[in-house]
Amino acid sequence: MPGQFVHVAASEELTLRRPFSVAGVPRERSLDLLVELRGKGTRTLAEQAEGSSVSVMGPLGNWFSPPREGATAILVAGGIGVAGLRYLAEEFVHDGRPVLLLVGARTREGLLDGLMPRPNGGITLELSTDDGSTGTAGTVCELLASHLERVENPARVYACGPPAMLKEAAAVALRHGLPCEVLLEEIMACGTGACRGCVVNTKHGYKTVCSDGPVFDAAELLFEGGPYA
Amino acid sequence: MPDITTKITGLTLRNPVVLASGTVGYGPEYAELIDYETVGAIVTKTITREPREGNPPPRLAETHAGLLNAIGLENVGLRRFLSEKLPEAAELPTEIIASVAGGTPAEFCELAGAVGERDAVRAVEINISCPNVRRERRPVWDDPEGTAAVVTAARSATKKPLIVKLSPNTADILSVAEAAVGAGADALVVANTMPGMRIDLEKRLPALGNVTGGLSGHALMPINLALVWKVSAAVDVPVIGSGGIATAEDALEFLMAGATAVQVGTALFLDPGAPAAIVWGIREHMRMNGAETIDEYIGLAREEKQRCTEKIAAD
């Protein structure tokens, strides 16, 4: 389901698996993952030859809620955050729901050309870059705010990206009286809720990203004082 | 077929591989991923008298060949453990060892008594060694007298096998081990995690919300292996080795150093099939080497060393 992730054993040299959002399901028993090169785990994965096998655990975690029938789903991604929303956008299009997808990055290089959802018929795609090199100049949350001023019949905001961007997207949605679901990322050990390692602070205490999430209602999260401050 | 049944003072396990406290939650969390029929026992998440929310995130930081954690004993508390978690764990096809931690000897007494009287609990593990809970005075794990006090209290509350989990973070583990055994411990776990930290260069902050955390995984193995060697020679109760065990070879090293059984924890995160693979590998090693029982391995390296020393002396 869109929002769920898989836990990948990238290398036997590592202690932990690496969680990745399901970025698409092109056919049965097949998954797309979008992997940003960040460290040893992602580099090891990228170096794998075509056809090699890795251990994949999952799908794990919860998933996004559907929007109201007929209303527009507003998806907001910061950088590699598009990985967490790509499959959702595709499913919404498949179900015939109107989708507004806003993707922002610092520069045009961060916009991950060619990795946008497919099919993209039915998706209104808007881009932003902080330096104005592509799309609207400014942050993706500023783009979100301007769209929420004029979009008809908005249903819900779905956001994925860096912590500061999620906090701002949630605040923008709230100002417009819209519910907002965010997809969170945390360093993760077990992936099953057992070890209590990947917690975030919520109004109902610490919750695990792996089993209570990774999708959270932004209104439940305590952005203050945690990594999402 | 080699016999891998393992006896730990009053507790017979079908094999020597036990899943370490804190890594499998209360058990059911991993039921889809671990075939519990393949493990000797599981130690449930340490519980305290009252529920604890644990430490602020981030709680994990990976290291070279290891993992730092600072969970801070997040747990549901004694009451919910007994009413909800233990009945669920009892359904799993393995033995349940309940881990408890208190702030005072009286709390250890209450906790050990309350979990020990449940049929589902086959043994009680006393956690005196969590490095992530702030203490004002000298920590119990580094204090033979403090250790004796909590073990005495727990011992008075239950007749079930009592296992005490020691810390590697002490200059004198033998005194702590002897104090635990003197106070009635039936077995010792050697040992828990070792304190450590990392810095997040991007945030310019300690990587863990708690600043320091307990180091587990392969990086810890040689440290705890040396402690097993030392402690198992000095006490007459079984020692359960723990620290970075991920393969059958790792487990066999601990057995040959003097451990009677092993605990596997961090290795589960990369491979939930690790415990089953370790059991299979131990059995294979026994078959290849004509060993009939696990006992033949326990302390084997010490015996060999002794033989070598005697031979040199005789020559």
Side-chain angles (χ1 to χ4, degrees):
Chain A
M1 298 285 283
Q4 288 191 293
F5 67 98
V6 291
H7 216 14
V8 181
S11 159
E12 287 186 8
E13 304 291 303
L14 297 169
T15 306
L16 299 181
R17 287 173 176 256
R18 299 292 187 263
F20 297 104
S21 288
V22 174
V25 182
R27 56 191 174 275
E28 233 176 279
R29 300 191 61 77
S30 168
L31 294 176
D32 287 338
L33 307 179
L34 288 183
V35 178
E36 182 181 48
L37 297 187
R38 281 191 194 169
K40 195 173 171 186
T42 50
R43 272 200 308 276
T44 309
L45 276 181
E47 286 160 6
Q48 298 292 316
E50 196 175 333
S52 47
S53 62
V54 291
S55 164
V56 175
M57 188 195 286
L60 301 168
N62 67 353
W63 47 84
F64 290 108
S65 317
R68 260 192 347 268
E69 208 57 51
T72 301
I74 300 160
L75 280 54
V76 191
I80 187 69
V82 73
L85 299 178
R86 188 174 178 264
Y87 179 33
L88 182 71
E90 289 177 6
E91 284 296 288
F92 282 168
V93 168
H94 182 263
D95 296 344
R97 299 178 194 276
V99 174
L100 171 62
L101 173 62
L102 311 174
V103 184
R106 288 203 183 91
T107 64
R108 68 192 304 170
E109 286 74 33
L111 285 172
L112 304 168
D113 252 1
L115 297 178
M116 296 304 163
R118 64 198 156 82
N120 52 20
I123 296 178
T124 309
L125 176 66
E126 293 270 347
L127 305 174
S128 76
T129 49
D130 292 0
D131 64 358
S133 52
T134 296
T136 310
T139 70
V140 75
C141 291
E142 287 163 3
L143 187 63
L144 171 66
S146 73
H147 274 279
L148 290 187
E149 296 294 341
R150 56 180 195 268
V151 69
E152 278 176 40
N153 195 13
R156 187 193 301 271
V157 172
Y158 300 87
C160 183
M165 176 235 138
L166 291 183
K167 185 185 179 186
E168 182 59 21
V172 171
L174 194 70
R175 273 205 297 279
H176 289 81
L178 282 182
C180 176
E181 285 185 344
V182 296
L183 183 70
L184 301 186
E185 183 184 49
E186 264 298 325
I187 177 172
M188 203 176 272
C190 68
T192 68
C195 78
R196 317 305 298 172
C198 60
V199 298
V200 289
N201 205 1
T202 76
K203 286 180 180 163
H204 301 102
Y206 291 129
K207 300 276 183 194
T208 58
V209 171
C210 72
S211 64
D212 297 319
V215 176
F216 289 87
D217 179 350
E220 294 290 303
L221 290 175
L222 292 176
F223 287 98
E224 294 74 26
Y228 293 91
Chain B
M1 194 70 168
D3 179 10
I4 58 168
T5 313
T6 301
K7 288 195 176 63
I8 305 169
T9 326
L11 179 65
T12 302
L13 305 178
R14 65 185 148 218
N15 67 56
V17 176
V18 176
L19 303 191
S21 180
T23 56
V24 286
Y26 302 101
E29 295 94 326
Y30 256 112
E32 282 181 40
L33 292 162
I34 296 171
D35 178 1
Y36 281 120
E37 289 191 27
T38 62
V39 300
I42 66 170
V43 189
T44 49
K45 172 90 187 147
T46 296
I47 56 150
T48 50
R49 193 172 181 277
E50 303 302 328
R52 283 177 61 95
E53 66 172 8
N55 285 328
R59 292 178 172 180
L60 299 171
E62 204 173 7
T63 71
H64 291 294
L67 175 68
L68 290 166
N69 86 80
I71 310 298
L73 291 186
E74 176 182 339
N75 78 95
V76 297
L78 177 63
R79 192 177 308 168
R80 270 188 69 199
F81 176 74
L82 294 176
S83 64
E84 286 175 35
K85 303 298 181 182
L86 183 58
E88 285 174 26
E91 298 293 316
L92 302 171
T94 190
E95 307 289 4
I96 304 297
I97 299 172
S99 171
V100 299
T104 60
E107 260 182 44
F108 272 102
C109 176
E110 181 185 349
L111 287 159
V115 300
E117 70 176 20
R118 299 296 172 116
D119 290 340
V121 173
R122 301 299 310 277
V124 180
E125 186 174 286
I126 299 292
N127 181 3
I128 60 166
S129 49
C130 177
N132 297 323
V133 180
R134 286 174 213 289
R135 286 188 171 77
E136 284 165 21
R137 290 169 294 123
R138 187 177 179 189
V140 172
W141 68 75
D142 189 33
D143 175 8
E145 281 175 33
T147 297
V150 302
V151 177
T152 301
R155 179 75 287 171
S156 72
T158 182
K159 291 192 164 59
K160 293 270 171 75
L162 198 62
I163 303 167
V164 178
K165 188 167 186 175
L166 305 184
S167 169
N169 187 27
T170 164
D172 187 9
I173 196 169
L174 283 187
S175 294
V176 179
E178 282 161 0
V181 174
D186 294 310
L188 303 174
V189 178
V190 179
N192 208 319
T193 60
M194 192 77 183
M197 76 178 285
R198 289 203 70 184
I199 302 282
D200 182 328
L201 294 182
E202 224 168 281
K203 294 185 195 156
R204 304 171 184 201
L205 280 171
L208 296 170
N210 187 54
V211 181
T212 60
L215 177 67
S216 65
H218 230 97
L220 182 65
M221 184 176 147
I223 295 169
N224 285 11
L225 187 68
L227 296 175
V228 165
W229 174 273
K230 200 168 165 180
V231 172
S232 62
V235 299
D236 55 7
V237 300
V239 167
I240 302 167
S242 179
I245 297 167
T247 65
E249 288 76 16
D250 298 339
L252 287 164
E253 284 197 46
F254 272 88
L255 295 178
M256 289 191 193
T260 299
V262 295
Q263 289 193 351
V264 176
T266 302
L268 293 173
F269 300 147
L270 194 66
D271 180 12
I278 292 169
V279 172
W280 184 87
I282 293 173
R283 199 182 266 125
E284 273 304 290
H285 195 276
M286 292 173 75
R287 206 176 52 76
M288 304 281 281
N289 292 278
E292 285 171 6
T293 68
I294 281 286
D295 285 354
E296 294 172 45
Y297 284 91
I298 302 171
L300 188 58
R302 189 184 313 282
E303 291 162 28
E304 284 293 313
K305 176 109 175 88
Q306 185 67 26
R307 259 196 290 280
C308 292
T309 312
E310 280 164 13
K311 188 164 180 298
I312 290 164
D315 291 345

